[in-house]
Structures are given as structure tokens and as C-alpha cells.
Amino acid sequence: MNFTSGQVLIKICDEKNIAISEAMILRETEYLDSNRYEAWGKMEHSWSIMKDSAKRALKGDIVSMGGLIGGEAAKINRRRLAGYTTVCGTIMSKAIAYAMGVLEVNGSMGLIVAAPTAGSSGVLPGAFLAIQEEMGYPDEVIIRALFNAGAVGYLIAYNATVAGAEGGCQAEVGSASAMAASAVTELMGGTPRQCLYAASGAIANLLGLICDPIGGLVEAPCQQRNAMGVSNALISAEIALSSIQNIVPFDETVAVMYNVGRSMPHELRETALGGLASAPSACSRCRNADK
Amino acid sequence: MYAAKEISVFDIIGPNMIGPSSSHTAGALRIARLARNMVKKSIEQVKFILYGSFARTYQGHGTDRALIAGMLGFDTEDYRIKESFVYARAAGLHYIFEIDSKRQDVYPNTVDILITDVDGEETTVTGISIGGGRAVIKKINGVDIDLTGDYYTLVIRHKDLPGVVAGVTNILSIFNINIAFMKLYRENKGTIAYSIIETDQPINADVIDKIEELNSVFNAFLIDKL
């Protein structure tokens, strides 16, 4: 059993009366010959790495290799714990702190799960750890949802790209955001259709987002883009779960994202020649970081 | 393109890796690990020449530490990557890094790896990191090849003479090994050739002994699926 488009995925889910996560598990076991038990175990391992990487930064003692980030997750967490009213509410505040924390761990040569890339590795752990803590879901529910996220990421990688060098940040954080949006939608009881509405909404919101890493490093603005990616995922899930539909379906949105990426000048696709990377303050900070 | 491999859920939720960059850290490690597998004896010294984006940003991405870690056989998940220089010294592995930021005619993330083994024999490998932690070996000892480590791989260095490939495939069929892909590369007509055979199943080390018994075969290596 295989699928290469959102349309076919939905058809399979309808026919078999299964969730997207289950369709992805079936693709893995039936089409790619994996063992269900082993695949589940691997995902369990990925989730444990995600959780560790999200919590690791809360100590606030991390300094990245390039010296551009470090300590941000702890600051957000401390402010909330000190009793200040959060602007975004607890769940969003936690989600952005965790997402930013994973980027600190990544930037300091810590262990992360590229999901789909290292530069966007904060989005899924941020969304799921915040949701788990605030809503009390057991690990099994999150692990299952990660297969849903994998299905969306696979469809984007197959039909477009998840590489910043090819499609800009919309292809990295945008894809991570779409994956999280769909997975959160399933976890909260949404239908497969609602999942893909959430995913396409998330991509649509981030269309055109450039990849402009300061000094060419996976640090800034990547870290805050991950906070934005996780917020956008939760926003898109909330919209989709409210039975709000999008005019442009998932497959077309993915194609649009790919075309927008291809039409971006190369300065804005991970080369560190444009965007924030070319701003005067960014250039001077990097010279310092080089030393 | 290197699209032969189907995308698994763990290519998307993964790889699990030491950061910060799938191409500059995890991919670099995998190039070095593939290169290490092409040397049978213990490695005395290794020299890396970095090109393109590797040359410009290797320090901030820990590319140098990742390359050494790969040479030591570490996995992309290994916490020791960050301290790999310490482990290299403990293992008696000498290393040198050179930067070539002038050369333009190379893939953006390219590294040349010059390996010297304990007997002073040299092996030269060129690898590229193509994104998402994936690596491709493009050259071995001056011969253009394509090797990804996506499969269990058998590399055979032999004379470019008739009958060698038949001998090899005969041995594989005796061991009941199903070939997924087979490619032949050569330096010049009638000189040295490389046969690269990729399989879905792990390859028994006994196969190597049998293949090396063949006339015209210099040596054979097994490269584990990464």
C-alpha cells in the first residue's frame, strides 16, 4: 500500500476507515517491509530524544557553537514560572520555549531529531511536549501522532522539498509546521480531511518565507522561526478542528510552495547572502562569532 | 539525483543526530564513515580538504568534529561527536584539515579525504553531502563512482578484464545474495576497475574471502548500510 498525494491518502483513509497515522504505519510495514513492532520502537526512541532535547535547554546553560543563541528557552520558562501573565497562554508559551530550546541544543552539538530538518527540529517537540504536559496525553498517543506528522512531511518531500537550500524557510519550518498542525489535529480528534486542511493552512500562512541564516549558521533567525512555526501549527489545527475549510487543497498548496521556492533568488535560500544575514548588524556579529 | 531510495517515515522524523546541521554535521560524518570503510587496515593519518560551504562554515557547524567522528566510526547520534578530537588523540589517529575556498567547480559541500594506513598505503576518497544527512562518495583513488550507503554495499577493486564480473556474481549467487543494483566504474580501459554491488540483505564476511580468491581481484570491502 502506497500513496504519493494527499488526495490518495484521504481515499485510503476513507476506504479503510483509518487515521492518517495508521495509513503511514501501513505504508511503512506493507510497502517498505518494516516490522510494525520495530517501527513503533524506533518512533518511541525518536520521541524520547525529542522530549530530552526540549527539556535540556531549560537549565539555561547552553551556548551555541556560533555564539548567536543560548539561554532563550530558560528565559521564557522562568518568566512564566515567576508568575508573569503570559501573552499567549500557557500552552503556547511552553510550545515556543521548547521549540526554541531544541534549537539551542542543536546549535551546541546536542542530540536532536531532524523533523524534517535540523533547522526546523524545534517545531514538533515544542508542539507535542506542550500539549502532553497541558492535556495529559500518554506517550503512546504522541508516538502515533508522529506517524501522522511523518505522512505529511513525506508527501511534501516527495512532491516538493523540505530543504532550505531549495525552497527557503517555508520548505523547512513551513513543512515542520504543516506536519505538526496535521498531527495535532488528529490527536485532538480531527478527521483525515481536517488534518490536511490544517497542514495546507500552515503552509499557506508561511508561503514565501526565506532562509537567511546569519553567518550561515543554524542559529538565528532559525530559533525564533521555530517558535513561529509551532505557533502557526497550533493556530492552523484550531482553525481546522473548527471545521473551517481551505479553498486550495493540500496537494495544490504543496505545489505552490515548491514553485514559490524555485522562484526565490538564491540569495534567499540558505546561502547567507541575503535577508537578515546581509543586514549590517548580522555581518558584524558573525565576524565576532568567527573569532 | 540519488532518488532510488524510497522515503521512509524515519527520513522525515529523523535522522536522529547531533546538531547543528544535517548537511554540514550528520552528512559530513557519514562521508567520513563511508570512507573509513574503504580502508581495511588500521588508519594512521587522515587529511581532509574542505570545499565550498564546508570550507566557509565548518567551524560553526562542527563539520571538522563530525568528520573525525565518522573516521572513528561513530554514529550520527553519538554524544562523543562534540569531543571527537579527544577520542582521535586517544585512538592515535593523526588528522589535518585544509581549506580550499577558491575552487568553484565543486558541489557546495565537498570534502577530499586522504587516508594513510599503518603500512603507509594511501586511499583518496571524495564525498559530498547532499542534504538531510545523506552522503555520496563520488570518487575513490581517482575513479568516479557513486556510493550512498543506502544499501548494504560491496566494493570490489579489480583488473579491468573479461570474466571478473561473472566470477563475482557467481559467488554472490552461491551465497544466495540478491543484487539490488550493480555498477561498474573504471580508471582507464584495461587498468583498474571498481564494481559496486548494492543489496537489500546484509552481506556475510565470508563472501569477501571468496571474492578476494578470484584472480584479477585486488581487494573487496563491505560497507554497512548507514
Side-chain angles (χ1 to χ4, degrees):
Chain A
M1 188 276 276
N2 192 21
F3 51 86
T4 56
S5 71
Q7 207 181 349
V8 174
L9 171 61
I10 294 291
K11 195 165 159 261
I12 290 169
C13 290
D14 282 350
E15 281 170 9
K16 296 184 186 263
N17 194 24
I18 53 174
I20 288 178
S21 56
E22 181 61 21
M24 193 59 176
I25 293 172
L26 290 178
R27 178 181 181 271
E28 203 68 20
T29 52
E30 291 177 9
Y31 182 65
L32 298 179
D33 284 335
S34 294
N35 170 305
R36 188 181 187 99
Y37 181 76
E38 280 172 16
W40 187 270
K42 269 175 94 169
M43 196 61 93
E44 202 168 20
H45 178 56
S46 305
W47 172 232
S48 87
I49 294 174
M50 284 185 181
K51 277 196 290 191
D52 288 348
S53 62
K55 288 177 185 166
R56 169 67 187 84
L58 296 184
K59 284 189 205 158
D61 57 350
I62 293 178
V63 181
S64 66
M65 298 288 288
L68 302 181
I69 60 171
E72 291 80 11
K75 283 184 183 169
I76 296 170
N77 201 45
R78 276 201 295 268
R79 181 179 180 279
R80 183 175 50 78
L81 292 177
Y84 289 97
T85 309
T86 59
V87 179
C88 309
T90 304
I91 198 161
M92 194 77 97
S93 175
K94 280 189 167 184
I96 62 176
Y98 289 141
M100 290 172 71
V102 174
L103 267 279
E104 293 175 46
V105 171
N106 181 58
S108 62
M109 296 194 83
L111 182 61
I112 56 98
V113 181
T117 62
S120 59
S121 58
V123 173
L124 286 174
F128 285 124
L129 192 54
I131 282 179
Q132 181 172 51
E133 286 182 356
E134 290 307 296
M135 302 183 190
Y137 287 106
D139 283 336
E140 294 72 33
V141 173
I142 310 287
I143 293 161
R144 178 166 283 281
L146 284 171
F147 281 97
N148 175 305
V152 169
Y154 151 68
L155 286 174
I156 299 171
Y158 185 88
N159 293 295
T161 178
V162 297
E166 259 191 284
C169 193
Q170 56 159 13
E172 291 209 25
V173 170
S175 297
S177 191
M179 291 159 63
S182 170
V184 168
T185 301
E186 179 179 311
L187 181 149
M188 299 288 288
T191 64
R193 275 187 182 73
Q194 288 177 328
C195 290
L196 291 196
Y197 281 132
S200 52
I203 296 170
N205 290 346
L206 300 185
L207 278 180
L209 190 65
I210 61 171
C211 178
D212 50 351
I214 294 176
L217 303 173
V218 192
E219 299 190 8
C222 319
Q223 187 191 32
Q224 291 189 33
R225 296 259 170 88
N226 273 261
M228 180 277 304
V230 75
S231 314
N232 182 53
L234 300 182
I235 292 165
S236 303
E238 187 97 304
I239 292 172
L241 282 162
S242 310
S243 297
I244 296 166
Q245 302 182 358
N246 298 328
I247 295 162
V248 180
F250 175 77
D251 292 325
E252 287 182 36
T253 309
V254 170
V256 166
M257 186 273 278
Y258 187 61
N259 291 331
V260 168
R262 301 302 293 185
S263 59
M264 275 181 196
H266 89 115
E267 287 86 351
L268 306 180
R269 282 188 275 130
E270 213 181 288
T271 52
L273 297 171
L276 285 175
S278 64
S281 306
C283 297
S284 60
R285 271 299 291 279
C286 278
R287 272 193 290 280
N288 292 336
D290 280 345
K291 278 168 195 164
Chain B
M1 285 308 290
Y2 310 93
K5 186 173 163 255
E6 289 278 357
I7 302 168
S8 153
V9 70
F10 298 107
D11 296 317
I12 301 297
I13 312 290
N16 305 329
M17 55 167 274
I18 295 293
S21 163
S22 57
S23 52
H24 289 68
T25 318
L29 181 144
R30 294 184 71 171
I31 293 172
R33 235 181 103 169
L34 289 169
R36 170 186 188 261
N37 275 312
M38 296 177 192
V39 179
K40 286 204 164 172
K41 297 198 181 102
S42 137
I43 296 170
E44 177 98 2
Q45 184 186 295
V46 59
K47 177 172 159 182
F48 300 95
I49 306 171
L50 307 177
Y51 302 95
S53 176
F54 271 179
R56 282 197 302 279
T57 63
Y58 75 98
Q59 279 172 317
H61 283 134
T63 307
D64 46 358
R65 300 169 199 233
L67 286 167
I68 292 291
M71 205 45 74
L72 292 168
F74 295 178
D75 191 70
T76 54
E77 275 191 49
D78 200 316
Y79 279 104
R80 296 174 296 175
I81 295 171
K82 194 174 181 180
E83 308 300 333
S84 66
F85 294 152
V86 176
Y87 288 92
R89 281 193 286 275
L93 174 69
H94 301 276
Y95 54 86
I96 309 165
F97 285 91
E98 270 183 23
I99 307 302
D100 184 340
S101 40
K102 292 203 182 71
R103 216 173 119 187
Q104 297 292 325
D105 60 332
V106 287
Y107 186 86
N109 293 319
T110 299
V111 57
D112 284 340
I113 307 179
L114 289 69
I115 302 168
T116 313
D117 73 12
V118 280
D119 294 344
E121 195 175 329
E122 292 190 3
T123 305
T124 310
V125 175
T126 300
I128 63 173
S129 174
I130 59 165
R134 297 184 68 197
V136 183
I137 300 298
K138 295 298 288 178
K139 211 178 254 228
I140 175 163
N141 293 329
V143 179
D144 291 324
I145 63 165
D146 264 316
L147 195 163
T148 60
D150 288 341
Y151 297 86
Y152 298 99
T153 309
L154 183 60
V155 178
I156 304 158
R157 184 165 163 265
H158 56 84
K159 285 184 196 153
D160 183 26
L161 290 173
V164 181
V165 172
V168 169
T169 51
N170 186 35
I171 290 168
L172 292 178
S173 80
I174 290 167
F175 278 86
N176 206 15
I177 293 167
N178 186 37
I179 298 173
F181 299 99
M182 176 159 182
K183 291 169 277 188
L184 186 67
Y185 305 90
R186 63 186 183 181
E187 214 167 342
N188 288 302
K189 194 177 172 185
T191 58
I192 291 172
Y194 286 86
S195 285
I196 295 182
I197 295 165
E198 297 176 316
T199 71
D200 295 321
Q201 303 93 14
I203 303 167
N204 190 323
D206 296 342
V207 174
I208 297 294
D209 296 338
K210 282 278 169 230
I211 289 173
E212 287 190 334
E213 281 172 18
L214 290 172
N215 278 333
S216 314
V217 168
F218 297 111
N219 40 25
F221 317 88
L222 271 184
I223 294 175
D224 269 344
K225 193 166 151 180
L226 286 190

